[in-house]
Amino acid sequence: MAVSLSDVKLYLRIDGGAEDSLLQACMAAADSYLISAVSDYETNYEASADYAAKADLVSLALISEMYRNRDPSNDGRADYPFYIRSQITQLQYWTGGDADA
Protein backbone atom coordinates (compact mmCIF):
# COMPACT_ATOMS: atom_id res chain seq x y z
CA MET A 1 0.00 0.00 0.00
CA ALA A 2 2.52 2.62 1.07
CA VAL A 3 5.54 0.67 -0.15
CA SER A 4 6.90 2.45 -3.20
CA LEU A 5 8.89 1.04 -6.08
CA SER A 6 11.95 2.91 -4.82
CA ASP A 7 11.47 1.30 -1.36
CA VAL A 8 11.33 -2.14 -2.97
CA LYS A 9 14.41 -1.52 -5.10
CA LEU A 10 16.34 -0.29 -2.08
CA TYR A 11 15.23 -3.32 -0.01
CA LEU A 12 16.24 -5.71 -2.79
CA ARG A 13 19.39 -3.73 -3.69
CA ILE A 14 18.35 -3.35 -7.32
CA ASP A 15 19.68 -0.54 -9.51
CA GLY A 16 18.22 0.45 -12.84
CA GLY A 17 14.75 0.00 -14.21
CA ALA A 18 14.97 -3.21 -16.25
CA GLU A 19 12.80 -5.17 -13.81
CA ASP A 20 10.40 -2.43 -12.70
CA SER A 21 7.34 -4.08 -14.26
CA LEU A 22 8.13 -7.39 -12.53
CA LEU A 23 8.63 -5.60 -9.21
CA GLN A 24 5.35 -3.72 -9.63
CA ALA A 25 3.58 -7.02 -10.30
CA CYS A 26 5.12 -8.47 -7.12
CA MET A 27 4.03 -5.35 -5.21
CA ALA A 28 0.43 -5.73 -6.40
CA ALA A 29 0.46 -9.45 -5.56
CA ALA A 30 1.83 -8.78 -2.06
CA ASP A 31 -0.88 -6.16 -1.41
CA SER A 32 -3.57 -8.52 -2.64
CA TYR A 33 -2.17 -11.38 -0.56
CA LEU A 34 -2.17 -9.34 2.65
CA ILE A 35 -5.65 -7.92 2.04
CA SER A 36 -6.97 -11.45 1.56
CA ALA A 37 -4.98 -13.02 4.40
CA VAL A 38 -5.65 -10.46 7.15
CA SER A 39 -9.09 -9.38 8.38
CA ASP A 40 -9.59 -5.59 8.41
CA TYR A 41 -6.17 -5.10 6.84
CA GLU A 42 -6.99 -1.87 5.01
CA THR A 43 -8.85 -0.37 7.98
CA ASN A 44 -6.04 -1.19 10.43
CA TYR A 45 -3.40 0.03 7.98
CA GLU A 46 -5.04 3.42 7.73
CA ALA A 47 -5.75 3.64 11.47
CA SER A 48 -2.30 2.99 12.89
CA ALA A 49 1.24 3.99 12.00
CA ASP A 50 2.53 1.04 14.06
CA TYR A 51 0.39 -1.42 12.09
CA ALA A 52 1.35 0.23 8.78
CA ALA A 53 5.07 0.00 9.58
CA LYS A 54 4.78 -3.72 10.39
CA ALA A 55 2.61 -4.31 7.32
CA ASP A 56 5.09 -2.50 5.06
CA LEU A 57 7.92 -4.70 6.31
CA VAL A 58 5.84 -7.84 5.72
CA SER A 59 5.00 -6.56 2.26
CA LEU A 60 8.69 -6.06 1.47
CA ALA A 61 9.46 -9.58 2.69
CA LEU A 62 6.68 -11.03 0.52
CA ILE A 63 7.88 -9.07 -2.51
CA SER A 64 11.41 -10.31 -1.90
CA GLU A 65 10.23 -13.92 -1.74
CA MET A 66 8.18 -13.53 -4.91
CA TYR A 67 11.05 -11.86 -6.74
CA ARG A 68 13.84 -14.18 -5.63
CA ASN A 69 11.88 -17.44 -5.92
CA ARG A 70 10.09 -16.91 -9.21
CA ASP A 71 11.37 -20.08 -10.89
CA PRO A 72 8.68 -22.67 -10.08
CA SER A 73 10.81 -25.58 -11.30
CA ASN A 74 13.52 -24.77 -8.73
CA ASP A 75 11.36 -24.03 -5.67
CA GLY A 76 10.75 -26.94 -3.33
CA ARG A 77 9.02 -24.81 -0.68
CA ALA A 78 5.28 -25.12 -0.31
CA ASP A 79 4.86 -22.02 1.87
CA TYR A 80 6.44 -18.73 2.87
CA PRO A 81 9.17 -18.82 5.53
CA PHE A 82 8.19 -18.88 9.19
CA TYR A 83 9.08 -15.24 9.86
CA ILE A 84 6.66 -14.06 7.16
CA ARG A 85 3.87 -16.35 8.36
CA SER A 86 4.50 -15.20 11.93
CA GLN A 87 4.30 -11.53 10.97
CA ILE A 88 1.06 -12.12 9.05
CA THR A 89 -0.38 -13.83 12.14
CA GLN A 90 0.63 -10.81 14.23
CA LEU A 91 -1.15 -8.52 11.76
CA GLN A 92 -4.23 -10.75 11.89
CA TYR A 93 -4.43 -10.59 15.68
CA TRP A 94 -3.30 -6.98 16.06
CA THR A 95 -5.25 -5.16 18.76
CA GLY A 96 -3.87 -1.64 18.53
CA GLY A 97 -1.51 -0.11 20.95
CA ASP A 98 -0.15 3.05 19.44
CA ALA A 99 -1.14 6.67 19.68
CA ASP A 100 -2.68 6.74 16.19
CA ALA A 101 -5.40 4.21 17.05
Side-chain angles (χ1 to χ4, degrees):
M1 300 196 103
V3 174
S4 69
L5 180 59
S6 61
D7 293 333
V8 171
K9 291 170 84 170
L10 180 63
Y11 185 82
L12 295 174
R13 299 180 182 141
I14 295 174
D15 294 324
E19 296 191 324
D20 285 1
S21 61
L22 173 61
L23 294 174
Q24 289 170 330
C26 291
M27 290 166 61
D31 282 345
S32 178
Y33 185 90
L34 288 171
I35 289 167
S36 296
V38 179
S39 301
D40 299 323
Y41 178 81
E42 293 170 302
T43 302
N44 291 338
Y45 190 96
E46 295 298 323
S48 169
D50 182 46
Y51 187 94
K54 182 181 288 276
D56 287 348
L57 190 57
V58 174
S59 182
L60 287 169
L62 284 169
I63 293 164
S64 176
E65 283 293 314
M66 291 175 193
Y67 176 76
R68 291 191 170 122
N69 298 301
R70 61 187 182 265
D71 181 5
S73 65
N74 193 26
D75 191 354
R77 271 195 324 266
D79 202 356
Y80 289 116
F82 174 76
Y83 73 93
I84 292 176
R85 291 181 286 127
S86 174
Q87 292 293 313
I88 290 171
T89 300
Q90 290 178 34
L91 291 174
Q92 177 66 31
Y93 293 107
W94 180 80
T95 59
D98 68 17
D100 294 11

